[in-house]
Amino acid sequence: MTKVTAQMSVSVDGFYAGPRFDGDGDWMASAESAAFFRVTRWVTEGMAWRERQGFAGGEQDTNSEVIAETFAAAGAYVMGRRMADGGEVPWGEEPPFRAPVFVVTHRPRARLERKGGTSFTYVTDGVAAAVEQARAVAGDRNVAVAGGGSLVRQVLAAGLLDELELHVVPVVLGSGLRLLDADLGLGEKEGIELTPTRVISTPEVTHIRYALRGRAPLLLDDRGSGGGATTIVS
């Protein structure tokens, strides 16, 4: 059964990049970039990632196996426009996805065909439509929400996400772009419940996979009285 999945590298305090860079200068020299490359260092050092990019070298280790598994599981991708535009030149004529990519955007653009099985279809009628189109072509594999973080939150807030994998890197950034932010639209006494289904720990990163259980009211436990959980009434 096709699942909608997302995976993001984050710092211990929950940031996937540094403070947002909106200037006209060099993004590679920005604080956003510096933090992003720190939390994704484990990826770029992996042999599986480097092979997918056409680069030599890299480590053949547990982290590389996680990367290879992630690529193999995806039959289609959903992506935000900022990520797609930023990656278009670096990815070149043969991007690493090797599957259809559906880009959520407000700006129409003709479909792009690339080598190796990657195509970019620009979807202007919302994230749910992009996920549905991706499902239709994913076959027996998953729909991978590739990011960025704002798009992952949109998919999560819409209740469309089945599985979330966080790659928690042992660094504290203090500020930046936070993955799980207030724009999830949760009520004051509401949460999104998750069930951990796998934890893999390495010195560089801890991989935690969660199954999404959905929105639920926050409950006050009985504080030892033996009466069971009590629903907090707002």
Side-chain angles (χ1 to χ4, degrees):
M1 179 179 176
T2 297
K3 294 185 293 186
V4 179
T5 68
Q7 54 92 29
M8 291 285 286
S9 296
V10 295
S11 63
V12 169
D13 50 346
F15 298 102
Y16 65 92
R20 184 183 176 96
F21 176 73
D22 287 318
D24 296 326
D26 182 5
W27 180 82
M28 293 291 289
S30 69
E32 180 181 344
S33 168
F36 171 77
F37 285 117
R38 172 61 189 92
V39 298
T40 58
R41 182 188 300 165
W42 70 273
V43 180
T44 57
E45 291 178 347
M47 182 179 292
W49 183 86
R50 297 185 68 82
E51 286 180 346
R52 196 81 171 199
Q53 308 293 324
F55 302 151
E59 298 293 330
Q60 181 53 55
D61 55 11
T62 299
N63 294 329
S64 182
E65 291 171 1
V66 170
I67 295 165
E69 177 188 65
T70 300
F71 277 127
Y77 292 84
V78 177
M79 183 181 296
R81 182 66 182 262
R82 187 169 186 246
M83 180 176 176
D85 286 353
E88 184 173 343
V89 172
W91 292 328
E93 289 298 311
E94 192 167 353
F97 306 104
R98 302 179 188 175
V101 179
F102 296 86
V103 181
V104 180
T105 182
H106 297 295
R107 294 173 284 132
R109 183 177 179 182
R111 175 186 172 102
L112 295 180
E113 296 286 349
R114 292 291 185 253
K115 297 177 182 178
T118 300
S119 60
F120 294 91
T121 299
Y122 293 81
V123 180
T124 57
D125 48 352
V127 65
V131 169
E132 188 60 31
Q133 291 183 49
R135 277 187 181 276
V137 300
D140 59 356
R141 294 190 288 169
N142 294 335
V143 172
V145 181
S150 175
L151 181 66
V152 172
R153 288 195 300 275
Q154 290 178 54
V155 177
L156 180 58
L160 299 171
L161 196 64
D162 300 308
E163 183 178 281
L164 174 65
E165 187 156 13
L166 297 182
H167 310 288
V168 183
V169 177
V171 62
V172 174
L173 297 176
S175 65
L177 298 177
R178 190 184 294 277
L179 177 58
L180 302 175
D181 213 336
D183 60 3
L184 286 170
L186 292 170
E188 289 185 357
K189 298 179 180 179
E190 182 184 39
I192 297 174
E193 297 285 348
L194 305 91
T195 299
T197 60
R198 187 178 78 171
V199 179
I200 300 174
S201 181
T202 75
E204 299 81 19
V205 57
T206 300
H207 311 279
I208 310 174
R209 180 178 294 171
Y210 297 97
L212 272 292
R213 292 165 49 197
R215 293 173 181 248
L218 300 178
L219 301 177
L220 177 65
D221 64 40
D222 65 3
R223 303 285 98 176
S225 69
T230 302
T231 302
I232 298 176
V233 179
S234 57

